[in-house]
Amino acid sequence: MKDGILVINAGSSSIKFSLYISQEGIKPTLSCKGSVEGIETAPHFVVKSPLGLVLNERRWTEQSDMQHEVLFKHLIDWVEDHLGDVELRAAGHRVVHGGALYSQPMPVTDQLLDELEELVPLAPLHQPHNLAPIRSLRLVHPDLIQVACFDTAFHRSNPWQAQSFALPRKITIEGVRRYGFHGLSYEYISRTLKSYAPATARAKVVVAHLGNGASMCAIAEGKSIASTLGFTALDGLPMGTRSGSIDAGVVLYLLQQKGMTPKEIEDLLYRQSGLLGVSGVSSDMRVLLDSLEPRAAEAVDLFVYRISRELGSLAASMGGIDAFVFTGGIGENAVAIRSRVCDLSEWLGIRIDQEANEQGAPLISALDSKVSVWVIPTDEEMMIAKHTREVLRALRSQGGTV
């Protein structure tokens, strides 16, 4: 039996999607991928083959009260025509926040949607946009099975010390704790590392997911132990436009002494800080590495420093480190960043082969390195497709053919 699985990753004004063909015993195969951009202005739908060939494209020149439902109907109609004799069976969604309850993907129900809605205050910039497509698809295709795949789920294996702030327990019980994010990426890397080095995948591994959003995770025996991201996706490393870790007293100072409103502080920390704020040049690492502006170099220096500092912290959380993995847009492509981070981390026993690093080989550590160093591309959409297939399989086993 072949199934069509649609993977949805929704943002505030855009929706990215991928279509997979799933067959028992074979990993899902990417059929096509695309996006709907400019949802709130002039929507632009485009879908491409895995090799980048444009398969379909449409533009709406005016919003004219365009609703998500109309766009999703167009998407579903095209997908079902494209699949031919393969039936669209399910849609898997990236949902940023699953709270403390969910440690695995879940089929969407009315109850689940209500519970996820209650988590909106914990992820106000992401959660509403993740839930909107689920509701739209329920209207357009009510019989389609939908699966919520949570970016927080992989980190539910963290010990309580790694999840807790030193706050009164009443506040912790209300949900103020470290959740961690980028879990779908870390889970994919953890699973994929097994195909490169099975023994290493069962050891003590630190993964650096470096992109416009950046974080790091300690993984021991395939389970998350600690993460640099915490209560929100604002914690940890400096990112493209996000500050990363910041003394809470700074926020109090901005409120009390500078007279800034919560909304202004939110905009400052999420959209005006990070690499962009420090450099005053760009949030794009490629631009910063090519720039002659001293502040651009300082932004890169700060980014590298924080990565190497967090690497030591995460190694300490596991009592050591056996492997270090780079992934994400910067991690996979920025040779200089990998080299500088590893040079600062020689005290951990890390040494890299500069030629292998420049070539972007999967294994870039030197022969005498005590820690193996890897470059592995992440694929969150594939992880969602696999999870969705697993949920489909479970539903079939419980109630027959789906």
Side-chain angles (χ1 to χ4, degrees), residues 200-276:
T200 299
R202 295 190 296 269
K204 299 171 181 176
V205 182
V206 173
V207 181
H209 176 109
L210 307 178
N212 189 53
S215 69
M216 298 170 68
C217 181
I219 302 173
E221 297 183 358
K223 294 183 178 181
S224 174
I225 300 300
S227 170
T228 59
L229 286 173
F231 179 62
T232 69
L234 189 63
D235 202 2
L237 304 176
M239 308 176 214
T241 62
R242 286 176 253 172
S243 65
S245 294
I246 188 169
D247 184 340
V250 174
V251 177
L252 295 176
Y253 171 80
L254 296 175
L255 278 168
Q256 298 169 351
Q257 304 300 321
K258 303 296 289 185
M260 294 181 68
T261 67
K263 184 64 178 176
E264 288 172 334
I265 295 174
E266 176 187 282
D267 191 57
L268 172 70
L269 298 180
Y270 275 96
R271 302 181 184 89
Q272 300 177 33
S273 299
L275 297 176
L276 175 63

Side-chain angles (χ1 to χ4, degrees), residues 23 32 44 170 185 232 246 265 267 276 302 345 356 380 397:
Q23 189 172 2
C32 59
H44 175 210
K170 178 182 177 181
S185 175
T232 69
I246 188 169
I265 295 174
D267 191 57
L276 175 63
L302 179 57
S345 306
E380 293 161 298
S397 67

Side-chain angles (χ1 to χ4, degrees), residues 25 52 96 114 128 130 134 144 157 183 191 213 248 252 254 273 284 301 322 326 331 335 348 393:
V96 166
D114 290 342
N130 298 158
I134 296 177
L144 186 67
S157 57
R191 290 193 185 190
L252 295 176
L254 296 175
S273 299
D284 191 319
D301 290 345
D322 299 303
F326 288 97
V335 173
L348 282 170
R393 184 183 295 127

Side-chain angles (χ1 to χ4, degrees), residues 111-234:
Q111 179 181 342
L112 178 67
L113 270 179
D114 290 342
E115 292 173 351
L116 297 181
E117 185 69 38
E118 292 178 1
L119 296 174
V120 167
L122 304 187
L125 301 186
H126 299 88
Q127 196 83 345
H129 306 301
N130 298 158
L131 301 184
I134 296 177
R135 295 193 180 92
S136 295
L137 272 178
R138 293 185 110 195
L139 293 174
V140 172
H141 200 323
D143 296 330
L144 186 67
I145 292 171
Q146 298 195 67
V147 179
C149 301
F150 308 108
D151 240 354
T152 51
F154 186 63
H155 303 296
R156 296 286 56 78
S157 57
N158 285 186
W160 75 268
Q161 299 97 319
Q163 297 188 52
S164 301
F165 296 113
L167 292 169
R169 286 186 179 268
K170 178 182 177 181
I171 296 177
T172 302
I173 292 171
E174 290 174 354
V176 180
R177 63 178 69 188
R178 299 182 64 85
Y179 290 100
F181 300 90
H182 289 150
L184 291 165
S185 175
Y186 292 126
E187 185 177 10
Y188 178 84
I189 294 298
S190 181
R191 290 193 185 190
T192 302
L193 188 56
K194 294 177 183 178
S195 64
Y196 288 93
T200 299
R202 295 190 296 269
K204 299 171 181 176
V205 182
V206 173
V207 181
H209 176 109
L210 307 178
N212 189 53
S215 69
M216 298 170 68
C217 181
I219 302 173
E221 297 183 358
K223 294 183 178 181
S224 174
I225 300 300
S227 170
T228 59
L229 286 173
F231 179 62
T232 69
L234 189 63

